mmCIF file of all heavy atoms in Angstrom:
data_model
loop_
_atom_site.group_PDB
_atom_site.id
_atom_site.type_symbol
_atom_site.label_atom_id
_atom_site.label_comp_id
_atom_site.label_asym_id
_atom_site.label_seq_id
_atom_site.Cartn_x
_atom_site.Cartn_y
_atom_site.Cartn_z
ATOM 1 N N THR K 286 -24.404 -109.258 -67.669
ATOM 2 C CA THR K 286 -24.664 -108.482 -66.459
ATOM 3 C C THR K 286 -25.327 -107.162 -66.912
ATOM 4 O O THR K 286 -25.478 -106.936 -68.155
ATOM 5 C CB THR K 286 -23.333 -108.094 -65.699
ATOM 6 O OG1 THR K 286 -22.670 -107.145 -66.520
ATOM 7 C CG2 THR K 286 -22.508 -109.342 -65.422
ATOM 8 N N VAL K 302 -4.121 -118.966 -70.519
ATOM 9 C CA VAL K 302 -3.247 -119.370 -69.418
ATOM 10 C C VAL K 302 -3.484 -120.776 -68.977
ATOM 11 O O VAL K 302 -2.531 -121.616 -68.953
ATOM 12 C CB VAL K 302 -3.402 -118.418 -68.200
ATOM 13 C CG1 VAL K 302 -2.632 -118.925 -66.967
ATOM 14 C CG2 VAL K 302 -2.957 -117.017 -68.547
ATOM 15 N N GLY K 306 -1.641 -122.812 -72.046
ATOM 16 C CA GLY K 306 -0.432 -122.864 -71.278
ATOM 17 C C GLY K 306 -0.091 -124.280 -70.777
ATOM 18 O O GLY K 306 1.044 -124.721 -70.923
ATOM 19 N N THR K 307 -1.133 -124.959 -70.342
ATOM 20 C CA THR K 307 -0.955 -126.369 -69.862
ATOM 21 C C THR K 307 -0.504 -127.219 -71.120
ATOM 22 O O THR K 307 0.404 -127.988 -70.996
ATOM 23 C CB THR K 307 -2.210 -126.879 -69.215
ATOM 24 O OG1 THR K 307 -2.476 -126.164 -68.058
ATOM 25 C CG2 THR K 307 -2.138 -128.393 -68.927
ATOM 26 N N PHE K 308 -1.176 -127.084 -72.205
ATOM 27 C CA PHE K 308 -0.878 -127.903 -73.343
ATOM 28 C C PHE K 308 0.558 -127.573 -73.851
ATOM 29 O O PHE K 308 1.276 -128.448 -74.301
ATOM 30 C CB PHE K 308 -1.900 -127.734 -74.549
ATOM 31 C CG PHE K 308 -1.565 -128.576 -75.681
ATOM 32 C CD1 PHE K 308 -1.805 -129.924 -75.643
ATOM 33 C CD2 PHE K 308 -0.996 -128.017 -76.818
ATOM 34 C CE1 PHE K 308 -1.477 -130.773 -76.748
ATOM 35 C CE2 PHE K 308 -0.646 -128.817 -77.896
ATOM 36 C CZ PHE K 308 -0.881 -130.200 -77.877
ATOM 37 N N GLY K 327 9.967 -149.479 -69.466
ATOM 38 C CA GLY K 327 9.693 -148.797 -70.769
ATOM 39 C C GLY K 327 9.210 -147.358 -70.544
ATOM 40 O O GLY K 327 8.957 -146.674 -71.545
ATOM 41 N N ASP K 342 -18.418 -129.147 -61.756
ATOM 42 C CA ASP K 342 -19.374 -128.470 -60.939
ATOM 43 C C ASP K 342 -19.194 -126.955 -60.987
ATOM 44 O O ASP K 342 -19.301 -126.302 -59.971
ATOM 45 C CB ASP K 342 -19.157 -128.846 -59.451
ATOM 46 C CG ASP K 342 -19.217 -130.348 -59.209
ATOM 47 O OD1 ASP K 342 -19.718 -131.048 -60.044
ATOM 48 O OD2 ASP K 342 -18.689 -130.759 -58.171
ATOM 49 N N GLY K 346 -20.812 -117.654 -62.618
ATOM 50 C CA GLY K 346 -19.718 -116.771 -62.859
ATOM 51 C C GLY K 346 -18.368 -117.470 -63.189
ATOM 52 O O GLY K 346 -17.378 -116.796 -63.343
ATOM 53 N N PRO K 380 -8.564 -130.807 -58.119
ATOM 54 C CA PRO K 380 -8.731 -130.432 -56.685
ATOM 55 C C PRO K 380 -10.044 -129.660 -56.476
ATOM 56 O O PRO K 380 -10.552 -128.958 -57.343
ATOM 57 C CB PRO K 380 -7.529 -129.571 -56.352
ATOM 58 C CG PRO K 380 -6.935 -129.116 -57.639
ATOM 59 C CD PRO K 380 -7.519 -130.057 -58.741
ATOM 60 N N PRO K 386 -3.159 -118.970 -51.867
ATOM 61 C CA PRO K 386 -3.181 -117.550 -51.670
ATOM 62 C C PRO K 386 -4.424 -116.879 -52.106
ATOM 63 O O PRO K 386 -4.942 -115.902 -51.472
ATOM 64 C CB PRO K 386 -1.989 -117.022 -52.581
ATOM 65 C CG PRO K 386 -1.108 -118.257 -52.566
ATOM 66 C CD PRO K 386 -1.994 -119.445 -52.580
ATOM 67 N N VAL K 395 -16.923 -116.109 -46.578
ATOM 68 C CA VAL K 395 -16.789 -116.930 -47.766
ATOM 69 C C VAL K 395 -16.057 -118.204 -47.432
ATOM 70 O O VAL K 395 -16.466 -119.328 -47.766
ATOM 71 C CB VAL K 395 -16.144 -116.185 -48.914
ATOM 72 C CG1 VAL K 395 -15.731 -117.103 -50.057
ATOM 73 C CG2 VAL K 395 -16.972 -115.079 -49.435
ATOM 74 N N SER K 402 -19.297 -126.635 -46.649
ATOM 75 C CA SER K 402 -19.917 -127.415 -47.767
ATOM 76 C C SER K 402 -19.163 -128.696 -48.081
ATOM 77 O O SER K 402 -19.632 -129.484 -48.899
ATOM 78 C CB SER K 402 -19.998 -126.511 -49.055
ATOM 79 O OG SER K 402 -18.681 -126.316 -49.586
ATOM 80 N N VAL K 422 0.842 -140.292 -58.072
ATOM 81 C CA VAL K 422 0.687 -140.507 -59.528
ATOM 82 C C VAL K 422 2.038 -140.732 -60.190
ATOM 83 O O VAL K 422 2.149 -141.666 -61.009
ATOM 84 C CB VAL K 422 -0.022 -139.247 -60.136
ATOM 85 C CG1 VAL K 422 0.048 -139.295 -61.641
ATOM 86 C CG2 VAL K 422 -1.455 -139.040 -59.640
ATOM 87 N N LEU K 428 -0.787 -146.042 -63.254
ATOM 88 C CA LEU K 428 -1.770 -144.929 -63.326
ATOM 89 C C LEU K 428 -1.562 -144.096 -64.512
ATOM 90 O O LEU K 428 -0.459 -143.459 -64.677
ATOM 91 C CB LEU K 428 -1.586 -144.044 -62.042
ATOM 92 C CG LEU K 428 -2.684 -143.035 -61.719
ATOM 93 C CD1 LEU K 428 -4.078 -143.559 -61.836
ATOM 94 C CD2 LEU K 428 -2.439 -142.465 -60.358
ATOM 95 N N ARG K 440 -19.383 -131.433 -53.713
ATOM 96 C CA ARG K 440 -20.017 -131.240 -54.994
ATOM 97 C C ARG K 440 -20.614 -129.830 -54.986
ATOM 98 O O ARG K 440 -21.555 -129.571 -54.245
ATOM 99 C CB ARG K 440 -21.112 -132.264 -55.335
ATOM 100 C CG ARG K 440 -20.595 -133.709 -55.363
ATOM 101 C CD ARG K 440 -19.544 -133.863 -56.479
ATOM 102 N NE ARG K 440 -19.025 -135.217 -56.546
ATOM 103 C CZ ARG K 440 -17.942 -135.651 -55.984
ATOM 104 N NH1 ARG K 440 -17.221 -134.879 -55.183
ATOM 105 N NH2 ARG K 440 -17.518 -136.885 -56.174
#
Side-chain angles (χ1 to χ4, degrees):
T286 70
V302 171
T307 295
F308 182 76
D342 307 337
V395 168
S402 71
V422 170
L428 189 50
R440 297 302 179 264

